[in-house]
Amino acid sequence: MEIRKVQITGGSSYVITLPKDWAESLKIKKNDPLGLVVQPDGTLLVTKDITEVQVQRAKKFDVTAIHEPAFLFRLLIASYIAGYTTIEITSKNRLPASVRMVVRDFTQMTIGPEVVEETDNSVVLKDLLNPLEMPFNNTIKRMYVIVKNMYLDAMNVLETRNPNLADDVAARDNDVDRLNWLVARQTNIILKNANLSRKMAVSTSMVINTYVISRIIERIGDHAVRWVDNARKLPEGELPEDLIEAVRKASGISLSLFDKSIVSYFQSDIREANKNIEQVGALERACEEINALAMSQEPLTAISLRNIAESIRRAGEYSGDISENVINYLVESKI
């Protein structure tokens, strides 16, 4: 760290010199304009970029030696999350159909990227979404609504064994994944662009906390899918009413934890977040009741019901984690 003393000129202007090596490395000359951005922690960012536009970053993949579609898909997702605005996929030979299918799946599973150029041996993807058009809170609200309804429908699947509804719950998990990847992408972009952080009126700590909560909601959605997967494995025939009621009770507690954790997040209520964490114990007891009742069933039924109870419990515990993150974020401003 270089220490430089502040000078006062004209009786009212505070002046500090810039490091010569830094100025020369950026080719800064006399009378060049520089941007000054006040950071949430009080530090001052000096930047040559005063356009306040999103930085354009390009990534190129040569898929000549990539023969695993799943690997290519993961590379594309990683590039998307990293914040690349242009992705080019090339090959020394004609692009195989499997690669084009991966590209199609990628554009359907993400928000923003579209194919803007295509030839026999290359495909160019361009991100058409302005990060400012998708505020973090709107994304979190949408994820919350989708996941909550997934759990409500999972309970219906258990009661009705409706295969179409089970398929729909699983399909909606893709929407949750897309939104979680979007939050991850915006987080990376903002951490690399202080101007964008200022324009979106979000601090670095808020961005990171929002990403953590988004990731937790995505995991809660995964357990809704596991619930319906285990409901599909149950043998034909109705379950005893006391078992159904036990699952309904545990699911209600779990959803209540989820509701209250999200409310405490949006209302910045640190005390309600703390109260919510204290309710996790009641959920654990309700899930133990399901396990005890499941012991009287046939082995296949018992295993599926215990797995359902585990998913309900994990969802509630993840909701408690959201409340913990709310406390961790708010502790500086509320206490």
Side-chain angles (χ1 to χ4, degrees):
M1 175 187 293
E2 292 190 43
I3 307 298
R4 295 174 180 257
K5 292 185 178 180
V6 177
Q7 306 293 325
I8 298 180
T9 62
S12 60
S13 298
Y14 291 82
V15 179
I16 189 169
T17 58
L18 299 173
K20 182 179 179 180
D21 292 343
W22 176 79
E24 289 181 344
S25 68
L26 294 178
K27 297 180 173 55
I28 295 174
K29 299 181 179 60
K30 181 180 178 180
N31 294 326
D32 282 352
L34 295 177
L36 302 179
V37 182
V38 179
Q39 304 287 24
D41 62 357
T43 58
L44 191 64
L45 173 69
V46 182
T47 176
K48 187 179 180 181
D49 181 15
I50 60 173
T51 61
E52 296 192 345
V53 298
Q54 182 182 353
V55 177
Q56 300 297 305
R57 303 174 64 213
K59 188 70 176 179
K60 185 175 182 178
F61 292 109
D62 184 347
V63 298
T64 305
I66 298 178
H67 306 294
E68 301 175 26
F71 178 45
L72 176 59
F73 183 79
R74 293 186 183 108
L75 290 175
L76 294 178
I77 291 295
S79 301
Y80 173 78
I81 291 175
Y84 287 100
T85 52
T86 301
I87 302 175
E88 184 178 1
I89 302 163
T90 64
S91 176
K92 295 178 181 177
N93 308 308
R94 184 175 181 273
L95 285 177
S98 59
V99 170
R100 297 184 188 276
M101 290 176 63
V102 168
V103 171
R104 183 190 63 194
D105 291 343
F106 171 71
T107 56
Q108 292 177 347
M109 285 289 292
T110 52
I111 300 174
E114 296 291 343
V115 175
V116 295
E117 184 179 334
E118 186 171 1
T119 66
D120 286 345
N121 60 350
S122 70
V123 175
V124 178
L125 299 165
K126 182 77 173 178
D127 181 26
L128 305 180
L129 178 68
N130 183 346
L132 298 176
E133 296 175 352
M134 293 291 289
F136 283 104
N137 281 354
N138 289 3
T139 305
I140 294 297
K141 284 179 182 177
R142 187 177 173 194
M143 292 179 70
Y144 157 68
V145 170
I146 293 173
V147 171
K148 178 179 179 179
N149 282 294
M150 287 170 67
Y151 271 85
L152 291 173
D153 288 338
M155 187 67 221
N156 288 333
V157 170
L158 181 65
E159 294 177 324
T160 65
R161 312 294 179 85
N162 185 331
N164 294 328
L165 185 57
D167 291 339
D168 187 59
V169 171
R172 275 177 274 169
D173 189 50
N174 291 333
D175 294 332
V176 179
D177 290 340
R178 295 172 73 229
L179 293 168
N180 178 57
W181 289 335
L182 175 63
V183 172
R185 174 181 175 79
Q186 289 179 299
T187 298
N188 275 313
I189 291 174
I190 287 174
L191 292 179
K192 294 181 176 73
N193 188 337
N195 285 330
L196 186 59
S197 173
R198 180 176 60 82
K199 291 181 73 173
M200 293 186 70
V202 293
S203 64
T204 301
S205 58
M206 177 184 175
V207 170
I208 294 174
N209 185 66
T210 302
Y211 169 65
V212 171
I213 290 176
S214 168
R215 186 73 180 95
I216 293 173
I217 295 175
E218 189 270 334
R219 290 177 177 174
I220 294 174
D222 288 343
H223 278 285
V225 176
R226 293 182 185 180
W227 177 341
V228 297
D229 285 344
N230 279 283
R232 294 176 196 264
K233 298 175 183 177
L234 290 169
E236 294 292 334
E238 293 185 3
L239 293 171
E241 183 57 33
D242 57 346
L243 251 173
I244 291 291
E245 185 57 35
V247 175
R248 190 181 293 116
K249 174 184 175 182
S251 178
I253 297 173
S254 185
L255 275 179
S256 176
L257 284 164
F258 189 36
D259 285 337
K260 291 178 180 178
S261 68
I262 297 299
V263 169
S264 66
Y265 166 74
F266 282 110
Q267 295 184 353
S268 299
D269 194 330
I270 197 169
R271 296 190 179 278
E272 284 302 315
N274 181 63
K275 290 180 181 178
N276 197 41
I277 296 171
E278 297 296 326
Q279 299 302 312
V280 175
L283 173 63
E284 293 175 346
R285 291 189 292 273
C287 290
E288 288 173 0
E289 181 181 349
I290 298 173
N291 292 334
L293 291 171
M295 294 298 292
S296 62
Q297 302 297 308
E298 294 294 325
L300 182 59
T301 301
I303 292 172
S304 295
L305 288 171
R306 289 175 68 88
N307 288 338
I308 289 172
E310 176 67 8
S311 289
I312 293 172
R313 181 184 66 82
R314 292 292 296 276
E317 289 176 345
Y318 279 137
S319 298
D321 291 343
I322 293 176
S323 293
E324 288 181 359
N325 275 278
V326 170
I327 293 174
N328 295 341
Y329 173 69
L330 294 176
V331 69
E332 291 186 10
S333 59
K334 294 296 182 180
I335 294 180

